[in-house]
Amino acid sequence: MHEYAFFLGCIAPNRYPGCEASAIKTSEKVGIKLLPLCGASCCPAPGAFGSIDLNIWYAMAARNVVLAEQMDRDIALICNGCYKSIYEVNHILKHNDELRDGVNEVLKEIDMEYKGSIDVWHLAELYYDPKICGVDKIRESVSRPLTGTKIAVHYGCHLMKPRKERHFGDTDHPMWIEELVAALGAEPVQYRNKMQCCGAGGGVRGFDLEHSLDITNEKMINLQEVGADALTEVCPFCQLQYDRGQVEIEEKFGIKYGLPVLHFNELLGLAQGMSPDELALDLHAVDVTPFLEKIL
Amino acid sequence: MAREKDYGNPSLEAKLKDRYYYSDDTNRDFTKEVEKIGRTIAHMCYQCGTCTGSCPSAPRSSYRIRLFMRRAVLGLEEEALTDPDLWLCTTCYSCTDRCPRDIAPTDVIMAMRNLAARRDIVPRNFLKTVQAIYTTGHGVPNNDVNRAARVKLGMDAEPPTTCGFPEYIEGIKAIIDHYGLKDRADKILSEGE
């Protein structure tokens, strides 16, 4: 069993608890144990918080990392926004003495010290990594293949970009999440401008909702074009933007898409035989039933 | 950036005072500060426009990342920090991945936002997130619908974050108070009401 401190973030535990539940259950079936990271906070939101003062963003993210250092476990998480904060701040502080000293000066006030002793991973990359799990193990864990469904993938921005500060390689046409989706028995579909942002990040969703939804709408048009049965992603904030965003797009622009949006963990949960009730899919704003009818 | 030479030609000097030819409200330190906060070599920008071409916000607004890069290079502090378009970047980092000069335009924007915020130029939603995190530890706090759903899933109503362990919120407050950010957020938000 590979053990990790499970960093939850905000939107997964507080809006889509199915993402959290499925992460814990699906990972156990492939040899990954997620331990609760008690007292963790918001990562904090890189766009909303980092825009105001990057120094506070470093210190707040470092506090979360220190909690995992105290457990002596690497962090695993399920949200791209959290990845941006936790992975990147950990990476920066490991290599920048000046910033690390500044952060530690603040953390001293609450009896903490950032040491730089752990690493940070997205659960999806652990699923893909053959040293930890790998596509084959994911395929073997499937008891209810998603045969006959066409699934589009939204990678999101902050997991793989900026490329130079990550380790995923190609950010123009990545295919690794499609490999994971195919392992569930579904057919991954390609669509125009796959790597475009969902529109929610950088505080734009809160600053100018219509602008942000217009970006989402462009993606929805491209997704509709290829007839996907569902969209999957690895970021609850992207999920919120696509899921609740479709309701807002209907209100504001009068266009209805009805495309079910599922976190990859939820999709994996369904493929491993979890019931829709165990995933709280009724909390999704867009009805997931048309997709479920194809697989149940 | 004051010019130190002159042409000894009064009509040409007058012409050069025209903003169309010459702007004296530039601040050399602005470029340096942006580069320090953003940890990127903004002055290397040669204005190719790959950034704007990659930008999802550009086609639907007047936001042009290339323009902000020019402002960074020229030290046009006022222009950069007072333009509301500054807040339309979704921080998707497409420009950063494609920049042929290895600059991170996204981080230039983040640095400019930090500098604007120091002058209390910051949209309300950003400050409300600060308030929420200060109070609950979460930017998106738990609510009753979600608590009920969590219990139905067999989980605790409160996740094992600051929700379930509120004693950790003190540490978060201490960090934010160290920078005086909560008081500033409260003050700016109350002024806008």
Side-chain angles (χ1 to χ4, degrees):
Chain A
M1 233 17 167
H2 299 274
E3 289 190 351
Y4 294 89
F6 185 21
F7 180 81
L8 291 171
C10 297
I11 297 176
N14 295 340
R15 291 295 179 273
Y16 293 108
C19 289
E20 178 185 342
S22 56
I24 295 169
K25 287 196 181 168
T26 58
S27 59
E28 245 177 56
K29 291 198 175 167
V30 292
I32 296 171
K33 175 102 182 129
L34 300 177
L35 309 166
L37 182 59
C38 299
S41 68
C42 179
C43 55
F49 216 93
S51 292
I52 297 178
D53 193 330
L54 287 166
N55 286 320
I56 315 183
W57 179 63
Y58 297 139
M60 294 276 288
R63 192 198 73 96
N64 286 319
V65 175
V66 171
L67 291 174
E69 287 184 350
Q70 290 170 348
M71 287 170 70
D72 200 20
R73 293 283 184 284
D74 282 3
I75 287 179
L77 45 77
I78 56 173
C79 167
N80 292 1
C82 298
Y83 193 80
K84 162 90 182 159
S85 293
I86 306 291
Y87 173 86
E88 201 163 297
V89 170
N90 189 42
H91 185 75
I92 291 171
L93 296 185
K94 271 187 187 182
H95 298 101
N96 188 323
D97 296 344
E98 192 190 337
L99 288 176
R100 186 174 58 229
D101 292 347
V103 160
N104 273 333
E105 209 168 291
V106 184
L107 290 183
K108 213 158 92 185
E109 287 176 25
I110 56 171
D111 299 322
M112 279 183 154
E113 190 195 354
Y114 171 85
K115 295 196 174 74
S117 58
I118 62 150
D119 290 318
V120 179
W121 309 94
H122 195 298
L123 186 56
E125 65 174 318
L126 296 175
Y127 282 157
Y128 187 72
D129 184 349
K131 291 192 293 294
I132 307 293
C133 168
V135 177
D136 290 337
K137 218 165 175 180
I138 292 287
R139 191 179 297 112
E140 287 157 20
S141 77
V142 170
S143 59
R144 180 168 58 205
L146 310 178
T147 318
T149 58
K150 287 163 83 174
I151 295 178
V153 177
H154 171 77
Y155 281 78
C157 299
H158 296 133
L159 176 58
M160 297 167 64
K161 295 188 275 187
R163 179 170 47 205
K164 270 187 303 179
E165 294 181 29
R166 300 287 191 272
H167 45 268
F168 291 89
D170 180 19
T171 54
D172 285 323
H173 308 284
M175 287 297 281
W176 61 276
I177 299 184
E178 275 88 344
E179 282 182 51
L180 288 168
V181 167
L184 309 185
E187 180 199 340
V189 288
Q190 297 299 311
Y191 60 100
R192 258 197 254 199
N193 217 351
K194 176 172 85 174
M195 292 310 287
Q196 189 188 296
C197 171
C198 70
V204 176
R205 181 177 163 84
F207 175 62
D208 188 341
L209 182 61
E210 286 202 19
H211 178 94
S212 128
L213 290 174
D214 196 53
I215 299 176
T216 317
N217 192 39
E218 186 183 332
K219 297 237 19 173
M220 293 309 301
I221 292 168
N222 295 341
L223 285 161
Q224 198 180 36
E225 214 171 52
V226 297
D229 296 312
L231 174 69
T232 191
E233 27 60 36
V234 289
C235 173
F237 196 33
C238 297
Q239 174 160 326
L240 186 106
Q241 179 71 2
Y242 284 113
D243 186 42
R244 299 199 176 176
Q246 283 185 60
V247 177
E248 291 156 348
I249 285 172
E250 194 180 344
E251 282 167 14
K252 291 190 185 291
F253 310 148
I255 313 165
K256 189 177 166 76
Y257 293 101
L259 178 70
V261 184
L262 293 154
H263 194 286
F264 179 76
N265 293 338
E266 296 178 318
L267 211 57
L268 178 58
L270 287 170
Q272 289 181 349
M274 285 176 80
S275 74
D277 284 346
E278 285 177 285
L279 295 164
L281 294 184
D282 54 323
L283 288 184
H284 286 234
V286 175
D287 189 8
V288 185
T289 317
F291 177 73
L292 296 176
E293 279 168 355
K294 291 206 162 194
I295 58 163
L296 296 179
Chain B
M1 206 186 294
R3 285 170 60 248
E4 283 148 11
K5 301 173 183 173
D6 75 52
Y7 286 93
N9 173 343
S11 71
L12 184 53
E13 294 308 326
K15 199 173 172 186
L16 289 176
K17 283 205 177 90
D18 184 341
R19 269 191 61 93
Y20 184 80
Y21 292 94
Y22 168 70
S23 164
D24 62 0
D25 56 3
T26 65
N27 175 5
R28 216 185 282 240
D29 293 336
F30 180 64
T31 312
K32 286 182 191 151
E33 221 162 351
V34 164
E35 293 197 328
K36 184 166 190 295
I37 300 171
R39 302 183 304 118
T40 189
I41 42 168
H43 72 278
M44 297 294 280
C45 172
Y46 56 28
Q47 287 284 295
C48 69
T50 302
C51 47
T52 293
S54 307
C55 178
S57 276
R60 37 188 59 82
S61 71
S62 54
Y63 170 62
R64 298 288 180 268
I65 175 65
R66 176 167 72 158
L67 178 60
F68 280 93
M69 290 307 293
R70 197 66 188 142
R71 288 164 172 167
V73 175
L74 295 180
L76 294 173
E77 186 177 10
E78 294 300 318
E79 243 183 82
L81 302 191
T82 56
D83 185 346
D85 285 351
L86 179 59
W87 306 89
L88 282 179
C89 168
T90 65
T91 68
C92 77
Y93 283 91
S94 296
C95 54
T96 300
D97 266 11
R98 293 177 186 173
C99 177
R101 299 293 274 170
D102 257 358
I103 307 167
T106 318
D107 291 329
V108 168
I109 290 293
M110 291 301 282
M112 286 179 177
R113 286 180 176 184
N114 275 212
L115 290 167
R118 281 185 202 170
R119 297 192 191 180
D120 291 356
I121 307 171
V122 52
R124 301 176 70 80
N125 64 297
F126 290 80
L127 298 168
K128 284 182 178 159
T129 306
V130 171
Q131 285 182 329
I133 295 176
Y134 188 88
T135 320
T136 67
H138 282 289
V140 181
N142 206 351
N143 61 32
D144 284 340
V145 175
N146 188 67
R147 286 187 187 98
R150 292 183 61 88
V151 171
K152 230 172 98 186
L153 289 178
M155 306 197 294
D156 291 332
E158 303 291 352
T161 58
T162 48
C163 292
F165 297 89
E167 61 270 27
Y168 282 89
I169 294 177
E170 287 314 310
I172 289 158
K173 287 185 173 166
I175 295 174
I176 296 177
D177 284 338
H178 176 91
Y179 295 91
L181 181 60
K182 170 65 164 43
D183 292 343
R184 272 181 58 216
D186 286 350
K187 184 172 157 281
I188 302 169
L189 283 172
S190 70
E191 280 165 359
E193 267 159 18

